Amino acid sequence: MRKPFSGAVRLNLGLQGGGAHGAFSWGVLDALLEDERIEFEGVSGTSAGAMNAVLLAQGLMEGGRTGARQTLARFWQTVAERSPFDLALGGANDTDFRLNPAVTMWMGFTQYLSPAQLNPFDFNPLRDILGEQVDFAALRERSPVRLFIAATHANSGKLRLFRTAELSADAVLASACLPTVQRAVMIEGEPYWDGGYSANPAVFPLVYEVAARDTLLVLLTPLRHAATPESASEIKLRTLDVAFNASFLREMRTFADLRDVARRSWLHIGRLERRIARARFHVIAADELINALGTETKLAVNSRFFDMLRDQGRTHAQRWLAAHGQEIGRQSTIDLRAVFC
């Protein structure tokens, strides 16, 4: 095993969305917060990643690293407790979970009924939980990290990036708004859907707008799936995964192309190209775990399921730190072209 790195380093975070699978990212953050040699500067998040981003900032603002760990844990525990019934059923082992049949039946109705018909009172328990646990006014004024929350404008498909000074519960809920299940979130008279359609997450602000050169991407959509879907339901879920990951993969390919151009003509490039060439990228992914769980478990709200994902996230992060931690602040630990192109 390699020796651990030494000296404090600044790290940006890119947190993907993935519904309940966001508890994996909770575990990753929990392990990173344990290591006081890492400082956070910019955090970009989409959907569940947006939730984790604002909770991380809230906890750091209130109580430092310990506060952040407690805030993240309190949120995920509260989400499980507020569920009217278990949306996931455990199996024979710790990673064997499946959706409650009642949830599967309810999701079937989304093919025929609109969110207004399924949920006429626009009930969203996440709104109450965020209101109780996040002080958005304080975050807008004194967040200890720079936040970038992605949502998709429902009438144009364009990315709307909410920066720290624009944060609100509506911005975070918009970032996590699945249009087949929830009504569009209205902000300043405009409708917004899940940010995954336009950026999952948005990486460019971490390169262009933040001083730290190192960005760790915590991925919840597999970079490569284990098998080709065959059934109608499997194909539908896979197309959703592809749609949510397309913008992210395109953005990362653009970075790979620009880095290649910048490195071939270093003397003739501008300030922006130099920033891209100097950026360092890292990835913690959960491909094997997510492939085993299946896309449908993104809807699985269950405390035991969340705890399993948290523990898996902690383990993945600890292994990554042991293997690559000493390279933070020095060099990328992934080849963008090999991974994303």
Side-chain angles (χ1 to χ4, degrees):
M1 182 179 293
R2 299 178 182 179
K3 295 180 180 179
F5 64 95
S6 59
V9 292
R10 289 185 300 169
L11 189 64
N12 300 318
L13 296 169
L15 306 177
Q16 276 196 337
H21 295 171
F24 175 89
S25 301
W26 162 31
V28 171
L29 294 174
D30 193 66
L32 294 175
L33 287 162
E34 267 189 333
D35 197 319
E36 296 187 359
R37 295 165 295 181
I38 295 176
E39 298 176 353
F40 304 111
E41 184 169 358
V43 186
S44 181
T46 295
S47 195
M51 304 279 177
N52 281 326
V54 298
L55 291 159
L56 172 68
Q58 175 72 28
L60 288 171
M61 179 178 67
E62 284 189 334
R65 295 174 179 275
T66 299
R69 296 180 68 193
Q70 292 172 344
T71 299
L72 284 159
R74 182 167 59 249
F75 172 80
W76 287 98
Q77 290 162 2
T78 303
V79 170
E81 291 168 0
R82 297 278 179 91
S83 176
F85 57 91
D86 278 347
L87 303 186
L89 302 176
N93 56 61
D94 287 343
T95 59
D96 183 14
F97 285 87
R98 65 189 186 280
L99 277 185
N100 188 314
V103 181
T104 303
M105 182 177 67
W106 180 76
M107 288 302 297
F109 292 145
T110 65
Q111 299 180 55
Y112 310 103
L113 301 175
S114 71
Q117 293 169 313
L118 282 172
N119 186 7
F121 298 105
D122 202 21
F123 173 68
N124 187 344
L126 288 176
R127 179 178 294 280
D128 291 337
I129 296 172
L130 285 173
E132 293 165 4
Q133 299 189 10
V134 180
D135 185 342
F136 285 97
L139 277 183
R140 290 193 293 269
E141 294 294 326
R142 50 189 178 91
S143 173
V145 295
R146 297 185 64 180
L147 292 164
F148 306 93
I149 303 303
T152 304
H153 188 267
N155 291 343
S156 68
K158 293 180 180 179
L159 167 66
R160 170 68 190 273
L161 201 62
F162 295 92
R163 292 170 172 80
T164 309
E166 304 169 292
L167 283 179
S168 67
D170 280 340
V172 179
L173 292 170
S175 185
C177 176
L178 286 175
T180 57
V181 178
Q182 300 159 313
R183 298 183 188 185
V185 177
M186 302 299 294
I187 300 175
E188 299 171 350
E190 297 293 335
Y192 291 95
W193 284 343
D194 197 296
Y197 293 109
S198 54
N200 191 27
V203 181
F204 68 89
L206 301 177
V207 175
Y208 301 155
E209 301 182 33
V210 181
R213 295 182 184 177
D214 288 80
T215 294
L216 171 63
L217 304 169
V218 183
L219 307 185
L220 299 179
T221 299
L223 292 168
R224 186 175 181 85
H225 292 273
T228 304
E230 296 184 356
S231 71
S233 61
E234 290 172 342
I235 291 170
K236 182 178 179 180
L237 290 171
R238 179 65 56 81
T239 57
L240 184 61
D241 274 351
V242 170
F244 269 43
N245 221 31
S247 59
F248 168 72
L249 292 176
R250 187 162 52 247
E251 185 178 13
M252 297 311 297
R253 177 165 191 150
T254 299
F255 281 129
D257 291 340
L258 291 174
R259 283 163 70 95
D260 288 347
V261 171
R263 287 170 175 173
R264 285 197 300 268
S265 54
W266 185 262
L267 295 177
H268 305 287
I269 63 175
R271 181 179 177 183
L272 181 59
E273 289 86 352
R274 286 193 175 90
R275 285 190 70 90
I276 295 170
R278 291 169 175 167
R280 295 181 287 262
F281 290 97
H282 318 276
V283 165
I284 294 178
D287 286 23
E288 184 177 347
L289 173 65
I290 301 302
N291 276 321
L293 293 173
T295 301
E296 66 276 6
T297 58
K298 289 180 179 180
L299 299 173
V301 178
N302 172 285
S303 59
R304 183 167 157 243
F305 185 57
F306 287 169
D307 288 347
M308 179 277 293
L309 286 166
R310 176 206 59 205
D311 293 344
Q312 287 283 336
R314 280 183 54 82
T315 298
H316 277 68
Q318 289 165 346
R319 289 175 179 169
W320 182 82
L321 285 168
H324 301 294
Q326 75 281 1
E327 297 171 76
I328 303 174
R330 298 178 182 176
Q331 62 184 19
S332 293
T333 55
I334 59 165
D335 180 335
L336 292 185
R337 188 160 298 282
V339 173
F340 297 111
C341 300

